[in-house]
Amino acid sequence: MDLRAGDSWGMLACLCTVLWHLPAVPALNRTGDPGPGPSIQKTYDLTRYLEHQLRSLAGTYLNYLGPPFNEPDFNPPRLSAEALPSATVNLDVWRSLNDRLRLAQNYQAYSHLLCYLRGLDRHAATAELRRSLGHFCTSLQGLLGSIAGVMAALGYPLPPQGAEPAWAPGPSHSDFLQKMDDFWLLKELQTWLWRSAKDFNRLKKKMQPSVPAVTLRLEVPASDL
Amino acid sequence: MMATPVLWACFVVLAAGVVAYAQRHSQQDTHVLYERLGSDVTLPCGTAAWDTAVTWRVNGTDLEAAHLNGSQLVLEGLDLSHSGHYACYQGSSWHLRYQALLHVGMPPREPVLTCRSNNYPKGFYCSWHLPAPTFIPNTFNVTVLHGSKLLGCEKDPAPKNRCHIRYTQLFSTVKYKVTLTVTNALGHNSTAIIFDEFTIVKPDPPENVVARPVPSSPRRLEVTWQTPSSWPDPESFPLKFFLRYRPLILDQWQHVELSDGTTHTITDAYAGKEYIIQVAAKDNEIGTWSDWSVAAHATPWTEEPRYLTTEAQAPETTTTTTTSFVPPPTTKICDPGEVGDGVGSSTGLLLTVTVTVTVTLTTIAATGLFI
């Protein structure tokens, strides 16, 4: 990663490194654990919660960026955002992913995205926006921990702490291009959350045997009717 | 030999004759004309001079001379009835000088285009229609852009205003842009829509919705349905369902959202009342709800009245899924406080009210709308 002079980028690099190592602590209490099922469910629920949170956050942030970013038909070509982890995948490839790879891809994607998101937080103007971003980052950190927990429960090693995120939009970026990067980051995040829901649903189905639905039945004695 | 020059002469004469014949008849090839509704058109009588005496015929019927300008036919303010076969004959020999098929129509207005994925993740289809008829043949051309990549949209043989696209990639951040161009002899028009992969997901309604009474349970109805057959992979892309039901006599629907399974038992049905039930489906995370399914009708089980000799029997109501007997209204005394068929104990009533979650039910019971 090309470190530029100035504290802010150094801090970003430091933060990203710290983040990279942080979720190594297993999040599960292993004593008498009922298997990875409940934690997969929890991870699934987290993706749904985050997706809901992102919807309002993205709406606010895109309005802050202003037109054309907040226009519904805005359909720009992807330029510098190739380094962003892409959720896009061939259907057959996605179907045939083994559990370890499926989890690893999710984990790596969110690690990168969280790092970039924290960079977004840095130059966000309004206090309200910074607060929303901060809240979202915390939730996303929770999701990372949850995925790490599932991987640990299944005995999979966490992805290697290899290449650090290479995407560092420097100060030489124009204001417009910076906004474009922000736009794509939010877009990719949204798509990953949709994909994760499908990923974790698939894992859930594989791990748990079909549980009969619990229905609350009122057994009123016949004489009462 | 001697025959050869004669043979050549014959050929020449024949060729000349064919050319002359062709020339004469080329004036009588049927022209095809497309003209705009409300406009004016002048049809010439082929190459005949303006002052030639001619007769015009429309679909075999002679036209009065009032429409003529010399040998030309003038049609003003075209309407649909002007469409037809026009022919011009010269002189008393009825020499056909000109014929044409006139089609009166309109250039196309901006078409209406919608795209939908009812078979996610396989692909999606786009369908279109014109908001107003053109009365003449139209051709439609659809182009699909995914980012900078051009995809082909496979046209359906029937219905012919629909085409299919297969997804090559899933979970794409790049939007799709579908452009439809409609062209006819009088003009062209186009429209385009832009959307994300996820926003157009809308399953077909659930199939085979069946509602059945539950024996010995006067307030229950068992509803079953199937996932739509067009949804290719319910295992990996599960659907959730929305069920709505009401007795025919009331307008207010009750709703239940179900995240799993294709069966549900209604436990708060009004005894003896025929119900209408519908189900809708949606992908668990993305897209929109399907349209409502075909309605199922059912009436909860009712006990056979024991005293058949003294009461007049009401005719048996026939519903699609039940054969329960509906007792005539005069045999029941309805208490506004009751929600059941028989007399309920206070505890039974309390339990029923607390378990029933919908506010509507308690409101209805309280206002005594129950007949």
Side-chain angles (χ1 to χ4, degrees):
Chain A
M1 186 171 132
D2 181 23
L3 283 175
R4 297 179 201 268
D7 293 329
S8 50
W9 287 111
M11 270 177 68
L12 180 62
C14 180
L15 200 61
C16 286
T17 320
V18 168
L19 244 45
W20 207 248
H21 292 275
L22 200 60
V25 179
L28 260 191
N29 174 13
R30 301 296 297 278
T31 56
D33 80 86
S39 59
I40 292 177
Q41 178 64 49
K42 189 183 124 205
T43 316
Y44 171 84
D45 292 338
L46 267 170
T47 66
R48 304 298 295 131
Y49 171 66
L50 275 161
E51 193 252 309
H52 177 82
Q53 223 188 326
L54 182 61
R55 241 181 283 164
S56 57
L57 173 63
T60 315
Y61 197 84
L62 290 175
N63 277 328
Y64 158 72
L65 291 181
F69 301 99
N70 58 351
E71 282 159 19
D73 278 356
F74 185 49
N75 189 21
R78 285 187 80 136
L79 300 169
S80 64
E82 294 92 19
L84 276 176
S86 178
T88 312
V89 66
N90 175 276
L91 174 60
D92 295 320
V93 169
W94 179 79
R95 271 222 185 86
S96 59
L97 281 175
N98 64 50
D99 297 344
R100 190 190 62 79
L101 208 54
R102 196 180 288 277
L103 285 161
Q105 283 186 0
N106 272 270
Y107 184 84
Q108 277 172 312
Y110 289 118
S111 303
H112 282 86
L113 291 168
L114 179 58
C115 197
Y116 301 145
L117 211 58
R118 290 198 193 275
L120 208 75
D121 187 18
R122 228 174 26 84
H123 62 257
T126 69
E128 188 212 326
L129 214 47
R130 275 201 295 274
R131 194 171 37 244
S132 300
L133 277 167
H135 183 202
F136 189 83
C137 282
T138 311
S139 307
L140 194 54
Q141 180 67 68
L143 176 62
L144 263 177
S146 197
I147 300 173
V150 173
M151 291 186 84
L154 292 171
Y156 299 137
L158 281 180
Q161 271 89 342
E164 275 170 10
W167 185 57
S172 61
H173 251 46
S174 79
D175 191 41
F176 182 80
L177 287 177
Q178 179 69 66
K179 289 182 177 178
M180 276 290 263
D181 288 341
D182 294 351
F183 171 83
W184 280 118
L185 174 60
L186 291 171
K187 198 84 203 281
E188 203 59 71
L189 202 44
Q190 182 183 54
T191 312
W192 260 108
L193 287 168
W194 272 322
R195 171 172 159 179
S196 294
K198 298 298 184 199
D199 278 324
F200 286 103
N201 189 62
R202 208 175 162 83
L203 284 164
K204 196 169 49 164
K205 288 250 163 84
K206 285 179 80 177
M207 299 295 156
Q208 292 166 326
S210 51
V211 179
V214 177
T215 40
L216 186 67
R217 285 203 126 89
L218 172 65
E219 292 300 341
V220 182
S223 59
D224 284 348
L225 292 171
Chain B
M1 298 216 236
M2 283 298 288
T4 320
V6 175
L7 212 58
W8 277 112
C10 281
F11 275 132
V12 170
V13 169
L14 198 63
V18 167
V19 170
Y21 183 84
Q23 238 175 9
R24 257 183 67 176
H25 277 266
S26 66
Q27 289 172 19
Q28 294 131 45
D29 282 346
T30 310
H31 296 81
V32 180
L33 301 172
Y34 292 95
E35 296 295 333
R36 206 178 161 138
L37 203 63
S39 67
D40 306 332
V41 70
T42 303
L43 299 177
C45 188
T47 54
W50 184 84
D51 54 358
T52 317
V54 296
T55 314
W56 278 93
R57 272 191 172 173
V58 187
N59 298 327
T61 316
D62 287 6
L63 268 178
E64 320 91 61
H67 296 273
L68 293 181
N69 172 12
S71 64
Q72 297 173 326
L73 180 64
V74 177
L75 298 168
E76 288 173 342
L78 287 173
D79 61 44
L80 295 176
S81 65
H82 284 107
S83 297
H85 180 264
Y86 290 77
C88 178
Y89 300 92
Q90 182 182 354
S92 51
S93 57
W94 292 96
H95 179 141
L96 177 67
R97 296 306 299 262
Y98 176 87
Q99 57 176 341
L101 263 174
L102 176 66
H103 304 270
V104 180
M106 291 289 287
R109 297 239 302 260
E110 188 178 325
V112 177
L113 174 68
T114 49
C115 295
R116 178 179 155 219
S117 176
N118 65 340
N119 60 345
Y120 191 77
K122 271 207 182 140
F124 63 94
Y125 72 84
C126 293
S127 63
W128 55 87
H129 68 269
L130 287 169
T134 60
F135 310 105
I136 55 177
N138 307 297
T139 50
F140 298 92
N141 187 30
V142 179
T143 54
V144 181
L145 263 179
H146 185 211
S148 54
K149 199 172 157 197
L150 195 68
L151 303 173
C153 193
E154 211 181 288
K155 281 224 178 119
D156 268 10
K160 57 176 169 64
N161 60 340
R162 192 182 275 210
C163 69
H164 282 91
I165 294 119
R166 239 176 229 280
Y167 279 134
T168 47
Q169 293 179 317
L170 221 54
F171 312 117
S172 177
T173 45
V174 179
K175 288 189 159 130
Y176 289 84
K177 181 175 180 180
V178 182
T179 313
L180 169 71
T181 312
V182 55
T183 312
N184 69 18
L186 294 172
H188 61 90
N189 213 324
S190 74
T191 186
I193 54 172
I194 301 173
F195 53 84
D196 275 312
E197 178 187 312
F198 306 105
T199 51
I200 59 163
V201 176
K202 179 179 171 179
D204 285 329
E207 291 169 7
N208 212 13
V209 181
V210 173
R212 273 180 279 259
V214 179
S216 306
S217 305
R219 307 218 43 213
R220 288 188 182 198
L221 286 169
E222 193 200 9
V223 190
T224 56
W225 60 90
Q226 282 158 8
T227 59
S229 48
S230 51
W231 196 254
D233 193 355
E235 274 297 305
S236 299
F237 297 85
L239 293 171
K240 60 180 176 182
F241 301 98
F242 209 68
L243 193 129
R244 70 175 186 180
Y245 59 96
R246 63 173 173 88
L248 288 181
I249 52 174
L250 294 176
D251 290 329
Q252 198 103 23
W253 292 96
Q254 276 167 264
H255 299 97
V256 182
E257 185 166 327
L258 303 153
S259 58
D260 224 335
T262 55
T263 170
H264 177 71
T265 304
I266 297 164
T267 54
D268 61 349
Y270 291 117
K273 301 302 165 201
E274 186 180 343
Y275 269 76
I276 177 169
I277 300 131
Q278 287 178 299
V279 192
K282 181 183 174 299
D283 174 273
N284 254 336
E285 293 96 25
I286 60 179
T288 54
W289 285 100
S290 72
D291 292 336
W292 289 107
S293 69
V294 170
H297 291 254
T299 308
W301 175 94
T302 49
E303 203 179 320
E304 288 290 320
R306 279 168 236 121
Y307 33 90
L308 294 174
T309 49
T310 52
E311 313 293 321
Q313 283 194 25
E316 225 178 66
T317 51
T318 44
T319 58
T320 53
T321 54
T322 181
T323 54
S324 67
F325 173 76
V326 180
T330 51
T331 58
K332 299 289 170 208
I333 300 157
C334 284
D335 188 310
E338 275 184 340
V339 290
D341 217 351
V343 179
S345 71
S346 54
T347 43
L349 183 63
L350 194 65
L351 273 167
T352 314
V353 171
T354 47
V355 166
T356 309
V357 181
T358 54
V359 176
T360 321
L361 185 61
T362 38
T363 318
I364 290 168
T367 53
L369 279 177
F370 182 66
I371 303 155

